[in-house]
């Protein structure tokens, strides 16, 4: 059963006009969740502190008051229990949207996510679909203590059966959360928590694709066209890549094309390949450690598909093969505009 | 306030003698339909012969499956030998609308759900990971990771609550959900989390634990210092111990728990005390970790011999019935044998099917590359044309 229709966006929240200028990222997710709850009675939110408190980042603010405690559920403090019961609810026809409070707290649920959620559709030869979304505030840059700044996407992208996506703008956040909820497949929805307060214009009438029409779940976006170097990023580092592109253009006229992957599983290979065939150079940027990371997969694929177009080796900019550092050192660990530009210079030197 | 007791509920003793006590009186009343010294002995005998038949056929299946593994027809098989009463008793207390999450040894429960037992075999022959349609008999596929499914059962039961199918008073609609697992599983965090979630949600779920004394080679004493049923008490739910080798008592305790769940009374934990008379699986060797004395001692408490003795004590069984049942059992064995031998490997395309419910580019590209390799054709760009249109531009920034 694969729905391919494009349904209209859910009803607009009564307190917002249809186009909102300068909407914060977290509010855009909130609006997307509200639209999903309003358009389908089977949609449930579950997680720790998501009710009266509205979540530790207030992403679910006001939703329990609007939709009730049976649909916006404060769960016991047990991540495996949250995901495991969400699986059971999905088997019963519900569409749970689960919040894991922080990236570093997802691992108690790792078994349920990778062994059960990802594989039950395959295990049952397609008889059971599990439309479960796992929302995770991820990434660093907020000056937090340990376990609050990690980027575990590669661990999940390595597991077949999961979709792994990350929005980079309020508009994408609004659309992508609704497409994730409508997806018949489980989706790990990684929210760049360091960008929660950034604002962007959001069109609340933007169409929401269901099933195969859910374009944001597997289509990358060229968010800045360019001719000299392709910089591939997703989630929090798209902003960094765009800032680097602007700096490069201003300083010496280097033209960087920025590709926002949106989805790290699957990867929109044709869009990346088309860009690199044009520019001949590629830099991949993510906060996660580069070793065995998403950038390694992109580099291998680009090398295979663009070998004769490449002018330089594919470079990666990301975290180190070390645990996430203390807050006072995180800016040495995270990809910065300078580190991206350094990699751009290195690929241009070839 | 729930009253808790360690007392083992037993209605028919090991030698087939009725057990009458003050403590089991409510269960004797509940199970009157199966008691030969009860108010309707003839009807009870007919019903009890039904349970005896269930257990005998399931055991015949078990023996057949074990033989098929020895003959190389199956990769592995986990026998239920010795646990027939716990499974058949609890299984026969289910209604068709109830939903079951088994572990991987619940062949006896599968039988009571009306499944063709040959459908259990594709997993163990290595031709399917699942093997049957869970919706056909409200019997989920086996879960191999110990205890994981206790959470699925709890979540499913939370869905049943939201569907308004608890406590309506309509016997044809009210539903219960059951999770079957063993003594070892009670040490898993997922089982504890399931008990917690079920309790605070008052979910209509029954946790049916078959304490068969051995988690592969580790005895129950190394899982818990207290009877397993007590694990439930701290969560605020009844934890009941029953003689799992007594099919009538197993039925009665399960019936009570299921009725509580369906009527909105919340979850129950049942510890059915039984014994895994066989190996953990056909790859196991129990002689390395337990004594033949122990096996003989439990052999004298065989759940099937017990019902036979009980029926014979009341002249409710005879050689003609036994011969007919044996013939039926042989027929079942033959059916399973023939069906298993005809199970072929699936086509290689199965590697890529149902990984996702929606088209997925990575799987499609790898499938294209695999098919080209099989056909001896070079593939240059397996991702080409997989996405229907070029990239969109991003949202407003």
């Amino acid at each position: 059963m694969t729905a391919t229709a494009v349904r209209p966006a859910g009803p607009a929240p009564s307190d917002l006009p249809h186009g909102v200028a300068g909407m914060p990222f977290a509010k855009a997710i909130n609006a997307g969740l509200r639209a999903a709850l309003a358009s389908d009675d089977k949609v449930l939110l579950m997680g720790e502190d998501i009710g009266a408190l509205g979540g530790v980042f207030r992403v679910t603010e006001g939703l329990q008051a609007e939709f009730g405690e049976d649909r916006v559920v404060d769960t016991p403090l047990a991540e495996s229990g949250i995901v495991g019961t969400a699986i059971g609810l999905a088997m019963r026809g519900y569409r749970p949207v689960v919040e894991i409070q922080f990236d570093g707290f997802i691992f108690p649920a790792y078994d349920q996510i990778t062994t059960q959620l990802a594989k039950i559709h395959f295990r049952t030869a397609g008889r059971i679909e599990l439309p479960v979304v796992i929302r995770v505030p991820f990434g660093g840059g907020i000056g937090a203590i340990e376990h609050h700044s990690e980027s575990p996407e590669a661990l999940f992208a390595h597991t077949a059966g999961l979709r792994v996506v990350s929005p980079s703008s309020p508009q994408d956040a609004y659309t992508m959360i609704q497409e994730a909820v409508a997806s018949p497949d489980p989706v790990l929805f990684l929210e760049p928590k360091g960008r929660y307060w950034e604002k962007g214009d959001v069109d609340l009438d933007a169409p929401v694709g269901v099933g195969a029409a859910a374009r944001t779940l597997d289509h990358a976006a060229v968010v800045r066209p360019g001719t000299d170097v392709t910089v591939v990023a997703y989630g929090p580092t798209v902003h960094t890549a765009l800032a680097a592109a602007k700096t490069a253009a201003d300083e010496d006229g280097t033209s960087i094309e920025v590709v926002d992957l949106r989805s790290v599983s699957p990867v929109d290979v044709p869009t990346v390949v088309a860009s690199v065939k044009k520019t001949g150079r590629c830099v991949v940027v993510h906060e996660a450690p580069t070793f065995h990371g998403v950038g390694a997969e992109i580099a291998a694929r680009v090398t295979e598909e663009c070998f004769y177009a490449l002018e330089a080796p594919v470079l990666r900019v990301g975290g180190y093969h070390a645990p996430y550092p203390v807050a006072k050192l995180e800016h040495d660990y995270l990809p910065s505009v300078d580190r991206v530009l350094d990699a751009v210079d290195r690929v241009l030197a070839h | 306030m729930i009253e808790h007791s360690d007392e083992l509920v037993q209605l028919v003793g090991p030698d087939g003698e009725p057990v009458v006590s003050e403590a089991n009186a409510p269960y004797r009343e509940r199970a009157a339909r199966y008691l030969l010294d009860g108010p309707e002995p003839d009807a009870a005998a007919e019903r009890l012969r039904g349970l005896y038949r269930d257990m005998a056929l399931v055991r015949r299946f078990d023996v057949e499956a074990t033989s098929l593994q020895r003959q190389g027809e199956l990769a592995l098989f986990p026998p239920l030998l010795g646990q027939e009463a716990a499974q058949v008793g609890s299984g026969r207390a289910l209604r068709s609308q109830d939903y079951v999450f088994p572990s991987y040894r619940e062949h006896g429960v599968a039988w009571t759900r009306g499944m063709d037992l040959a459908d259990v075999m594709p997993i163990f022959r290595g031709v399917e990971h699942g093997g049957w349609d869970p919706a056909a008999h409200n019997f989920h596929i086996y879960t191999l990771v110990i205890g994981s499914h206790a959470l699925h059962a709890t979540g499913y039961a939370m869905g049943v609550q939201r569907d308004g199918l608890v406590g309506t008073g309509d016997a044809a609609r009210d539903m219960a959900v059951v999770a079957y697992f063993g003594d070892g599983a009670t040490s898993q965090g997922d089982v504890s989390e399931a008990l917690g979630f079920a309790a605070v949600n008052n979910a209509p779920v029954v946790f049916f634990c078959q304490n068969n004394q051995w988690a592969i080679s580790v005895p129950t004493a190394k899982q818990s210092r207290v009877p397993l049923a007590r694990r439930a008490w701290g969560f605020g739910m009844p934890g009941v111990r029953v003689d799992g080798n007594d099919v009538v008592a197993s039925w009665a305790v399960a019936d009570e728990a299921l009725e509580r769940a369906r009527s909105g009374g919340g979850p129950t934990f049942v510890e059915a005390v039984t014994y895994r008379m066989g190996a953990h699986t056909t790859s196991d060797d129990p002689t390395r970790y337990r004594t033949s004395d122990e096996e003989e001692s439990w052999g004298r408490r065989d759940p099937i011999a017990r019902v036979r003795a009980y029926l014979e004590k009341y002249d409710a069984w005879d050689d003609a019935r036994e011969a007919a049942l044996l013939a039926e059992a042989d027929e079942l064995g033959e059916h399973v044998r023939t069906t298993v031998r005809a199970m072929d490997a699936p086509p290689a395309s199965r590697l890529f099917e149902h990984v996702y419910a929606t088209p997925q580019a990575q799987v499609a590209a790898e499938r294209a590359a695999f098919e080209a390799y099989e056909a001896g054709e070079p593939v240059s760009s397996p991702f080409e044309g997989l996405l229907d249109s070029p990239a969109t531009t991003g949202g407003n920034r």
Side-chain angles (χ1 to χ4, degrees):
Chain A
M1 186 185 73
T2 301
T4 54
V6 175
R7 69 167 162 81
S14 53
D15 57 340
L16 295 170
H18 283 233
V20 179
M23 186 184 232
F25 203 113
K27 289 280 182 203
I29 300 171
N30 179 279
L33 290 171
R34 182 184 285 141
L37 283 159
S39 69
D40 183 350
D41 288 346
K42 295 292 188 183
V43 174
L44 306 175
L45 310 191
M46 303 168 64
E48 298 159 4
D49 306 297
I50 67 165
L53 184 66
V56 294
F57 289 106
R58 311 293 181 264
V59 172
T60 55
E61 188 163 43
L63 299 178
Q64 189 180 65
E66 191 170 341
F67 296 98
E69 291 185 9
D70 279 348
R71 298 195 59 204
V72 180
V73 185
D74 270 325
T75 64
L77 205 168
E79 289 78 11
S80 188
I82 295 168
V83 175
T85 52
I87 290 169
L89 278 154
M91 288 173 177
R92 188 66 202 166
Y94 288 85
R95 308 185 85 85
V97 182
V98 159
E99 177 175 308
I100 298 294
Q101 203 158 69
F102 282 93
D103 37 61
F105 303 152
I106 200 167
F107 298 102
Y110 191 71
D111 175 59
Q112 284 289 346
I113 296 171
T114 57
T115 306
Q116 303 298 336
L117 182 61
K119 298 190 176 86
I120 283 174
H121 187 263
F122 184 78
R123 191 175 296 145
T124 59
R127 292 182 180 106
I128 293 179
E129 291 179 356
L130 294 178
V132 176
V133 177
I134 301 177
R135 293 182 38 243
V136 192
F138 92 123
I142 63 163
I145 57 170
E146 199 185 356
H147 316 298
H148 293 68
S149 306
E150 297 171 16
S151 297
E153 62 269 24
L155 295 170
F156 296 98
H158 199 61
T159 298
L162 299 174
R163 290 178 175 275
V164 183
V165 304
S166 183
S168 70
S169 70
Q171 178 69 66
D172 265 5
Y174 175 73
T175 304
M176 287 172 72
I177 188 64
Q178 292 181 76
E179 294 199 338
V181 175
S183 170
D185 288 310
V187 180
L188 199 72
F189 192 83
L190 300 169
E191 301 173 0
K193 68 168 89 73
R195 310 287 180 201
Y196 269 150
W197 300 275
E198 287 184 5
K199 293 176 179 172
D201 297 343
V202 176
D203 173 7
L204 297 177
D205 286 334
V208 175
V210 176
R215 301 184 56 80
T216 62
L217 299 186
D218 52 19
H219 282 67
V222 177
V223 291
R224 179 184 172 112
T227 53
D228 299 336
V229 179
T230 299
V231 173
V232 177
Y234 54 88
T237 57
V238 173
H239 181 99
T240 314
L242 287 169
K246 185 169 186 310
T247 304
D250 292 347
E251 283 182 357
D252 59 11
T254 299
S255 172
I256 293 176
E257 176 151 304
V258 178
V259 176
D260 174 1
L261 283 185
R262 285 184 176 142
S263 169
V264 297
S265 178
V267 171
D268 179 352
V269 173
T271 295
V272 174
V273 165
S275 177
V276 178
K277 280 189 172 164
K278 183 174 70 177
T279 62
R281 292 175 170 87
C282 181
V283 173
V284 188
V285 187
H286 50 59
E287 291 190 9
T290 53
F291 186 63
H292 286 303
V294 172
E297 170 62 25
I298 306 278
R301 189 59 65 189
V302 164
T303 305
E304 189 175 332
E305 305 267 332
C306 310
F307 190 70
Y308 295 105
L310 279 174
E311 302 288 348
V314 179
L315 293 187
R316 291 168 290 162
V317 180
Y320 302 107
H321 190 56
Y324 197 86
V326 294
K328 299 299 183 198
L329 292 179
E330 70 179 332
H331 294 291
D332 291 321
Y333 178 93
L334 292 169
S336 60
V337 169
D338 277 353
R339 282 177 63 201
V340 174
L341 289 175
D342 176 66
V344 167
D345 286 346
R346 284 160 59 207
V347 295
L348 283 168
H350 277 273
Chain B
M1 191 64 198
I2 304 163
E3 281 183 30
H4 296 298
S5 163
D6 282 333
E7 183 102 20
L8 194 71
V9 178
Q10 190 182 60
L11 301 177
V12 179
D15 298 323
E17 74 283 6
V19 178
V20 182
S21 73
E22 203 177 316
N24 76 10
Y27 292 105
R28 277 185 57 83
E29 196 176 324
R30 180 176 288 276
R33 55 192 279 111
Y34 291 116
L35 292 177
L36 304 182
D37 57 342
E40 307 173 323
D42 290 343
E46 189 58 31
R47 293 187 195 108
L48 191 61
R49 282 192 292 263
L51 299 184
Y52 181 72
R53 171 179 171 268
D54 288 338
M55 293 195 289
L57 293 179
V58 165
R59 181 167 291 187
R60 181 64 179 81
F61 159 79
D62 207 57
V63 168
E64 187 65 40
T66 303
S67 305
L68 284 166
Q69 193 279 334
R70 296 295 183 237
Q71 293 159 26
E73 299 286 354
L74 300 176
L76 181 86
F77 186 74
L80 65 53
L81 190 69
Q83 298 177 220
E84 294 87 352
Q87 294 192 12
V88 166
S90 59
R92 285 297 178 203
L94 294 162
R95 293 191 188 144
S96 61
Q97 72 268 27
D98 295 334
Y99 196 93
V100 176
F101 285 85
S103 183
Y104 49 76
R105 203 187 297 284
E106 273 66 64
H107 324 311
V109 186
W111 169 260
T112 66
R113 297 307 282 166
M115 266 181 59
D116 179 346
L117 285 178
D119 286 347
V120 167
M121 304 305 243
I123 304 171
F124 301 112
R125 190 162 166 89
V127 298
E128 299 259 8
H129 280 335
W132 61 87
D133 179 2
H137 301 283
N138 278 8
F139 188 76
H140 194 65
I141 58 167
Y142 283 171
T143 295
L144 308 186
V145 180
I146 301 295
S148 295
H149 58 300
L151 283 168
H152 307 162
T154 303
Y156 196 94
M158 289 161 63
V160 168
Q161 282 178 302
R162 283 166 173 75
D163 292 342
L165 296 175
V166 180
T168 69
D170 181 348
R173 278 167 54 85
D174 284 344
M175 270 185 79
V177 183
V178 188
Y180 283 89
F181 50 81
D183 39 300
T186 63
S187 296
Q188 287 281 7
D190 275 1
V191 171
S192 278
E193 292 187 24
L195 294 173
F197 275 67
V200 298
N201 285 287
N202 203 41
V205 58
V206 175
F207 299 100
F208 196 92
C209 172
Q210 293 166 83
N211 176 2
N212 69 13
Q213 311 303 322
W214 292 95
I216 306 189
S217 65
V218 178
T220 308
K222 292 195 178 179
Q223 309 288 348
S224 175
R225 313 171 55 146
V226 297
L228 299 177
R230 284 201 206 170
R231 293 213 196 264
W233 301 357
F235 289 97
M237 73 175 78
V240 184
R241 300 184 79 219
V242 60
D243 182 347
N245 283 13
D246 174 353
V247 70
V248 181
S250 294
W251 180 89
V253 167
D255 184 64
E256 179 192 42
L258 290 163
E259 187 179 286
R260 181 180 295 121
R262 294 186 203 108
S263 64
T268 304
F269 182 102
V270 176
E271 177 190 358
V273 180
T274 179
Y275 192 73
R276 194 195 74 211
M277 291 167 74
H280 162 66
T281 68
T282 45
S283 299
D284 181 32
D285 176 10
T287 64
R288 296 175 72 96
Y289 53 81
R290 67 188 190 188
T291 65
S292 53
D293 281 357
E294 177 187 306
E295 292 182 354
E296 283 161 21
S297 153
W298 277 95
R300 288 191 291 276
R301 285 177 262 178
D302 184 306
I304 299 182
R306 179 183 311 203
V307 178
R308 172 88 177 267
Y310 185 43
L311 286 166
E312 283 173 345
K313 208 177 289 281
Y314 289 84
D315 290 325
W317 194 249
D318 53 51
D319 291 346
R321 285 192 166 102
E322 184 71 15
L325 181 54
L326 284 177
E328 194 184 359
D330 282 343
E331 222 170 277
L332 175 65
E334 170 70 27
H335 164 68
V336 169
R337 192 160 59 243
T338 312
T339 312
V340 165
R341 286 179 174 157
M343 287 175 184
D344 291 329
S349 60
R350 194 67 63 80
L351 290 170
F352 304 101
E353 286 167 5
H354 308 301
V355 181
Y356 291 87
T358 46
Q360 207 266 8
Q362 187 65 32
V363 175
E366 292 181 15
R367 181 175 186 158
F370 174 83
E371 285 170 357
Y373 168 79
E374 291 285 291
E377 295 163 3
V379 177
S380 52
S381 223
F383 285 89
E384 223 165 70
L386 281 179
L387 294 174
D388 51 4
S389 60
T392 54
T393 53
N396 304 317
R397 282 180 168 76

